[in-house]
Amino acid sequence: MNSGYFAEPFRIRMVEPIRVLSEEERLARIQEAGFNVFNLRAEDVYIDLLTDSGTGAMSARQWAGMMMGDESYSGARSYYNLMDACSEVFGCRYFQPVHQGRAAEKIVMPILLGKGKISIANMHFDTTRAHVEIAGGRAIDCVVPEAEDTSSVAPFKGNMDIGTLRRLVEENGKEKVGVVIMTITNNSAGGQPVSMENIRETSKLCNGYGIPFMIDAARFAENAFFIKEREPGYQDVTIEDIVRECFSYADLFTMSAKKDAIVNIGGLIGVREDAALFEKVKALTIPSEGFISYGGLAGRDLEAMAIGLKEGIDLDYLRYRTGQPRYLGERLKEAGIPFQSPAGGHAIFVDAGRLLPHIPYNEFPAQALAIELYKEAGIRACDIGSFMLGRDPDTREQLKSKFEFTRLAIPRRVYTQSHIDVVADALAEIGKRADKLRGYRITWEPEVLRHFTARLEPIR
């Protein structure tokens, strides 16, 4: 307990075998994958920290609920169970299920944006940025300066920079700002939380200018836990009340339910009270996701989401959930491996820029570290840096990310403390030879979201 690790608040009653390939096999597999960890077969990975999205272990109650799923095309019982759970958890008036978070963004962004419009966020994640650009807009990040010093410790490094936000609105004109987005927790800044005060102040500013304020709610429960733990005045407030207050400040939200609702597929759009906006959401849902009462999901998935939303805000679960990255962070600190401090709620973001200062941003140090981690121990992580950020949509020049992170995203209720120790040991070994690592160049890439499928080669 002294390390910050909180023991699992559950028992394990089913296991899935995993194996470690030999070093020679791992080298062959990553080369066949074009040095892109997304192209690896999952069966060739020992510990998979590529993402925490849809990779969690569902509970006995969720599996039992799936057996009760109502597969009616319209008006299924499972849909109404989900609507009841959403109302209880978020307190908004309208909800639309979709098959995952990027489907929510695909529906919402064309409503809010268009050619010449901008979206301002504490930081856009990759799919959010892509959907802003697909809708004809431009994405501008506006995170607080504290986030850029990964070695510093501050309670809410994911916050919106309110002063800069106000300046951006004034410079561009409020008519040009289609939406302001608050990502909780702030994934691209290292899984860092956002304070209630910052959410409140951002909402107030947006209301003053008449700009829609949206929450990217993928990790809302983890953010609520950090508010309870770190923000003055919230220590004695329940997670449930913190969540409801948080969403009371937003006009709408999008959510990948594959994170804090602990399901393998699913997403949500929530609208606080604007009936006209919700009619537009429904109109775009039907041609892209299916009828509004299933939103691209089976009834069993709706049932699992309804149960998972409540399990995801359980306090003991959240102590365990945030305790795993905290424990890994302590191990990495002992080994001298730099990461975004303090540890995030769902992941550790190793600062590859600091660990590999000899590799320039356009040779992708975070990707180089992810590849080396697979070669070292069969562990899959991913780049949250310049490789993910991509190119300027107008000039096609490589963009330089504020951060060069290698993200170790921990699936929910999947890996034990022993697995976390393997990850820490592997990174400690890589740290000893960090100066020998080399960068990579792209040999092929698609136009949008290149990091999912691009192919690379090492620079000799």
Side-chain angles (χ1 to χ4, degrees), residues 7-85:
E8 290 83 354
F10 52 82
R11 294 179 295 185
I12 298 169
R13 298 180 65 182
M14 186 183 77
V15 297
E16 177 185 3
I18 54 177
R19 66 191 182 100
V20 187
L21 300 182
S22 69
E23 183 177 359
E24 292 76 15
E25 289 173 311
R26 295 196 299 273
L27 290 172
R29 296 295 189 277
I30 194 65
Q31 187 168 358
E32 291 165 5
F35 296 96
N36 187 338
V37 292
F38 281 95
N39 293 334
L40 290 166
R41 288 177 177 243
E43 64 187 13
D44 294 335
V45 175
Y46 176 49
I47 299 174
D48 203 342
L49 307 183
L50 181 69
T51 180
D52 63 320
S53 180
T55 56
M58 290 200 299
S59 69
R61 287 189 66 244
Q62 285 178 293
W63 282 109
M66 289 186 76
M67 296 300 102
M68 298 293 290
D70 181 354
E71 304 301 341
S72 302
Y73 184 92
S74 174
R77 179 185 64 255
S78 298
Y79 166 76
Y80 289 106
N81 288 344
L82 176 60
M83 293 302 98
D84 289 344

Side-chain angles (χ1 to χ4, degrees), residues 64-120:
M66 289 186 76
M67 296 300 102
M68 298 293 290
D70 181 354
E71 304 301 341
S72 302
Y73 184 92
S74 174
R77 179 185 64 255
S78 298
Y79 166 76
Y80 289 106
N81 288 344
L82 176 60
M83 293 302 98
D84 289 344
C86 287
S87 295
E88 181 180 341
V89 171
F90 299 109
C92 299
R93 187 172 182 183
Y94 304 109
F95 302 95
Q96 176 59 58
V98 290
H99 82 271
Q100 64 182 81
R102 67 192 62 177
E105 294 168 347
K106 182 181 179 182
I107 290 167
V108 166
M109 292 308 176
I111 297 172
L112 302 174
L113 297 168
K115 188 172 179 59
K117 293 271 192 175
I118 63 172
S119 168
I120 306 173

